[in-house]
Amino acid sequence: MLDALQQSLPFRWVRRCFQALPRRPFTLLFAVGLGLSLITAACSPNSTSSSTTAPAAPTQSVEVRIGYQKAATILNVLRTREDLAKTLADSGATVSWAEFPAGQPMLEALNAGSIDFGYTGEAPPIFAQAAGAPLLYVAYDPWSPKAEAIVVPEDSPIQSVADLKGKKVAVAKGSNTNYLLVAALEKAGLKFSDIEPAYLPPADARSAFEGRKVDAWAIWDPFLAVAESTAGARVIVDATGLAPNRGYYLASKSFVEQHPEQLKAVLDSVKQVSDWAAKNPTEVAEFLAPELKIDPAPLEKAEKRREYGVLPITDDVINDQQKIADTFQKIGLIPQKINVREVIWTEK
């Protein structure tokens, strides 16, 4: 062993270093230390030229990105209470929030991969699915057919939906009330083409309504309650018997598949807040008032006529949502037929 070591390349290199270096103690000790390191490496049975092991990558925290609308009570309340942040922290996850003016831009963000979870009315997920967005329905909120309606000014000669023929009606394109308007017209024996739709978001529609630039307005709560309370709006028909007016909790497919524990934590937290809101309409109204810059009284009215829940998607819910999708396809609002059942999450 000693003879083999003396003939090895590291040993011969060290010996030449001794012969070439001046006999200074510090230099000598350096050469000895370096040489012994090389010899040890050469004699090690596991030594290779690429033996360095890369350090393990640090575990990355999961960030749950949630989109919300100020008027969408539950997620907005959940954001301010910070309960979800505490729940997710137990599993090593964090939460971030992004505000959107309506459901459609929120689902565009989901399609772009900017958010993981959100809540909208019936229509936006239909348009998002038609556009190829990778979304899944994960639960629904019963809301209420009384929480959306078609209204006219108090002194308007319009008394029924049939009187809307040839009239200009404000509606948010692709919204739940867009479907209500179509369904109400069909029941009255009219086609969508029999009216002049004015596609406006709620704030612009209210201005047009109050300024008498439109004859009617299809709108949902809490904007409906505000219109009744402060703008002299009169309901000619609500969604009872015409549209279920449900809300939907939606998530990206990748989030559902990769982070099922975090999805469950989100839904559990949403349910807790939903249960609280159902029993505390006054407190909810007081919370929303500064957020929406609306008096608490109409907000409380809206809260008292709606329902809350975080419920699993049933066949009846799917069939109703498919009916809405088929209607939008028939009148040309979406380009092709879609199958809603294909994007329903089934908890495993």
Side-chain angles (χ1 to χ4, degrees):
M1 176 68 180
L2 181 58
D3 290 341
L5 180 60
Q6 290 175 342
Q7 296 302 316
S8 67
L9 180 61
F11 190 90
R12 286 184 280 129
W13 181 85
V14 172
R15 183 170 57 191
R16 287 198 299 272
C17 288
F18 272 111
Q19 294 171 349
L21 290 170
R23 299 298 187 263
R24 294 178 184 175
F26 180 81
T27 307
L28 182 61
L29 289 173
F30 177 82
V32 170
L34 179 61
L36 288 175
S37 297
L38 290 170
I39 292 171
T40 301
C43 294
S44 172
N46 296 320
S47 176
T48 65
S49 59
S50 58
S51 61
T52 303
T53 302
T59 302
Q60 292 185 346
S61 173
V62 176
E63 181 185 28
V64 181
R65 303 164 300 170
I66 299 179
Y68 75 100
Q69 302 170 64
K70 282 186 176 180
T73 304
I74 297 305
L75 292 187
N76 198 1
V77 174
L78 183 62
R79 174 184 65 90
T80 58
R81 286 166 60 118
E82 298 186 351
D83 294 345
L84 179 59
K86 297 173 185 176
T87 300
L88 289 174
D90 293 338
S91 64
T94 60
V95 61
S96 63
W97 299 87
E99 182 186 337
F100 294 89
Q104 280 191 283
M106 180 189 300
L107 295 188
E108 288 171 5
L110 186 145
N111 188 25
S114 300
I115 64 169
D116 305 305
F117 185 90
Y119 171 89
T120 76
E122 295 158 326
I126 290 172
F127 286 87
Q129 184 183 357
L135 62 80
L136 289 173
Y137 293 78
V138 296
Y140 84 94
D141 171 1
W143 209 356
S144 170
K146 295 288 186 183
E148 63 176 359
I150 301 172
V151 299
V152 296
E154 184 65 37
D155 58 356
S156 170
I158 297 172
Q159 298 298 318
S160 68
V161 176
D163 296 333
L164 292 177
K165 185 172 183 178
K167 304 300 184 182
K168 192 171 186 178
V169 183
V171 63
K173 187 173 185 178
S175 66
N176 53 339
T177 52
N178 197 159
Y179 175 73
L180 167 63
L181 181 57
V182 173
L185 290 170
E186 286 187 349
K187 185 174 182 180
L190 299 177
K191 298 178 181 178
F192 194 68
S193 57
D194 287 329
I195 64 149
E196 181 185 352
Y199 292 121
L200 297 169
D204 294 338
R206 178 181 176 181
S207 177
F209 182 81
E210 293 178 346
R212 301 298 179 100
K213 295 179 181 179
V214 296
D215 300 294
W217 182 17
I219 189 57
W220 62 89
D221 272 334
F223 308 108
L224 169 59
V226 173
E228 291 177 289
S229 301
T230 66
R234 171 169 52 87
V235 173
I236 59 170
V237 66
D238 64 30
T240 303
L242 295 171
N245 192 31
R246 299 184 179 103
Y248 290 98
Y249 294 99
L250 304 143
S252 69
K253 287 183 179 180
S254 60
F255 177 68
V256 172
E257 292 169 356
Q258 296 172 20
H259 306 293
E261 292 184 6
Q262 282 73 30
L263 173 63
K264 185 178 184 302
V266 171
L267 290 175
D268 287 346
S269 294
V270 168
K271 186 179 186 309
Q272 291 174 13
V273 174
S274 181
D275 292 344
W276 170 83
K279 299 174 184 177
N280 297 278
T282 302
E283 288 83 349
V284 172
E286 290 173 351
F287 163 77
L288 286 176
E291 291 275 302
L292 302 179
K293 297 179 174 57
I294 294 174
D295 187 77
L299 293 174
E300 185 170 354
K301 178 180 180 178
E303 286 300 312
K304 287 182 176 179
R305 68 182 171 200
R306 71 154 295 172
E307 298 178 42
Y308 281 106
V310 183
L311 307 173
I313 309 294
T314 65
D315 284 341
D316 287 343
V317 172
I318 295 171
N319 292 338
D320 285 343
Q321 191 70 347
Q322 185 66 54
K323 183 178 178 181
I324 296 172
D326 292 344
T327 299
F328 283 156
Q329 191 268 330
K330 183 174 68 175
I331 65 174
L333 287 181
I334 59 174
Q336 73 280 334
K337 183 178 177 64
I338 61 170
N339 185 353
V340 173
R341 193 175 294 274
E342 293 178 349
V343 291
I344 302 298
W345 172 60
T346 303
E347 185 174 6
K348 297 179 181 180

